[in-house]
Amino acid sequence: MRLLAAWIVAATLLAPAALLAHESSLGVLELREVRQGAYVGRWTMEPTIGAARVDLRAPPHCFLRMPQLECGAKGLVGAMTIGNLGSRMSAALIKIVPLQGEARSYTITSANPTVSILGPEAPTLESWMALGATYLNFGVDHILLGADHLLFVFGLIWIVGIGRRLVSTITAFTIGHSISLAAAAFGVIGVPERPLNACIALSIVFVGVEIVKQRRGEAGLTARYPWAVAGGFGLVHGIGFASALAGLGIERRLLPAALAFFNIGVEIGQLAFVLLTLALIWAHRRLGAVVPGSRDLLPGYAIGSIAAFWFIGRLLRVLAID
């Protein structure tokens, strides 16, 4: 069990993305219409790996030389492609801002590098399916690459153990972050990203302290009311999930579907992590390994120390002392 904890904790420690938390590899290309059929393009959210060598292709009747895009009287309609996407970013969003009317957004992935720009018409079944596939995958990627969220879930598993209490705890965490994710995505609540990330790290420190208390024979708050702690901190983590969707320029009419698929993807990734952790615990026990006694404080100290390191780093970012 000690080796299992060390393996998972070390994996999170070696993930540099955890300090930066929810800064994603999703690129956002804004095409703003400056006159009829003429657009100016710019990356409003740079992908973390860089976007210099992605292959952007406009419809055949358009002339593209970034940042200029000329489509004439016909306007920006037709097939638009971003090639060489997979090695640069996980996905890309094209946001079109017309002279009149609402902005429109289209998502592109390496598996589906081409999107049909249809103008202001209603979304088709094909576009809904593409939207679902994109945000489902984006949700899975976000949770599995979010070392802070996974470390928090691992801490909960360590405290409550295997059984019905674990089911209720994970369910409470899911409900909590689903509620706040929806509220933040629709603008009902809003928290600055950097202070929020510091609070998320602090929640993991709390879980680490709770593990130490439990190993010392004390009944901490999480051990007594795991569902309440998981649900409460789930509200905080859910706002963090919502930050992954912030700035993408998703149309209001498409936001409910994008949010639903993204949340489903998050749940799939979270469930996969829980099942993997339980499988490793089961395998460890089948091998006859000795489970540490109540005096073993290593997991709690390790989780708390890593989270404290994240908290300090994120706090310095809040204070702009990078």
Side-chain angles (χ1 to χ4, degrees):
M1 198 75 167
R2 180 184 301 177
L3 293 176
L4 172 63
W7 179 83
I8 296 179
V9 170
T12 59
L13 179 60
L14 295 175
L19 183 60
L20 302 178
H22 311 287
E23 297 177 3
S24 73
S25 59
L26 179 71
V28 180
L29 174 63
E30 180 184 275
L31 296 172
R32 184 173 294 271
E33 191 173 20
V34 292
R35 64 179 185 277
Q36 189 68 36
Y39 301 80
V40 173
R42 67 187 182 97
W43 290 96
T44 61
M45 185 181 294
E46 290 283 356
T48 56
I49 305 178
R53 288 181 288 178
V54 295
D55 184 16
L56 177 63
R57 300 179 186 177
H61 69 280
C62 297
F63 173 78
L64 173 64
R65 180 177 290 175
M66 287 292 287
Q68 296 180 331
L69 175 63
E70 296 281 349
C71 295
K74 187 175 181 180
L76 182 52
V77 294
M80 197 158 191
T81 302
I82 300 182
N84 196 28
L85 186 63
S87 61
R88 306 295 168 192
M89 61 189 91
S90 61
L93 183 140
I94 299 176
K95 180 181 178 181
I96 301 174
V97 184
L99 288 172
Q100 297 180 342
E102 294 185 358
R104 305 187 305 276
S105 299
Y106 302 86
T107 49
I108 285 181
T109 65
S110 56
N112 298 285
T114 302
V115 66
S116 295
I117 308 296
L118 302 176
E121 292 82 3
T124 63
L125 176 60
E126 182 181 357
S127 63
W128 282 119
M129 293 177 64
L131 179 80
T134 297
Y135 283 94
L136 188 71
N137 292 331
F138 189 43
V140 174
D141 287 346
H142 185 70
I143 184 65
L144 293 183
L145 295 177
D148 48 359
H149 296 301
L150 297 183
L151 190 58
F152 180 82
V153 172
F154 176 70
L156 292 177
I157 297 173
W158 190 272
I159 292 175
V160 303
I162 302 174
R164 299 173 64 180
R165 276 165 52 90
L166 177 60
V167 174
S168 63
T169 300
I170 297 300
T171 300
F173 182 66
T174 296
I175 293 174
H177 72 62
S178 296
I179 292 174
S180 58
L181 168 61
F186 282 102
V188 178
I189 57 177
V191 179
E193 183 175 357
R194 290 187 175 184
L196 174 68
N197 289 336
C199 291
I200 290 175
L202 203 56
S203 73
I204 306 170
V205 174
F206 175 83
V207 170
V209 173
E210 292 286 279
I211 293 176
V212 172
K213 285 184 178 180
Q214 186 183 58
R215 296 302 174 185
R216 287 176 173 171
E218 304 175 20
L221 187 63
T222 306
R224 288 179 291 165
Y225 310 105
W227 59 271
V229 172
F233 282 127
L235 295 172
V236 178
H237 285 246
I239 304 175
F241 291 143
S243 68
L245 299 177
L248 300 188
I250 305 173
E251 293 180 67
R252 192 77 177 182
R253 58 177 176 169
L254 301 180
L255 183 57
L259 177 64
F261 283 113
F262 176 79
N263 198 44
I264 292 173
V266 167
E267 298 313 317
I268 292 174
Q270 179 177 284
L271 180 60
F273 174 76
V274 171
L275 293 177
L276 175 61
T277 303
L278 296 181
L280 290 173
I281 293 174
W282 177 84
H284 204 270
R285 291 178 176 176
R286 287 285 291 181
L287 292 174
V290 178
V291 180
S294 60
R295 295 182 180 179
D296 187 0
L297 305 178
L298 176 61
Y301 281 128
I303 291 175
S305 298
I306 294 172
F309 170 75
W310 290 343
F311 173 71
I312 293 172
R314 295 175 185 183
L315 183 61
L316 292 178
R317 288 170 64 84
V318 172
L319 300 175
I321 313 178
D322 297 297

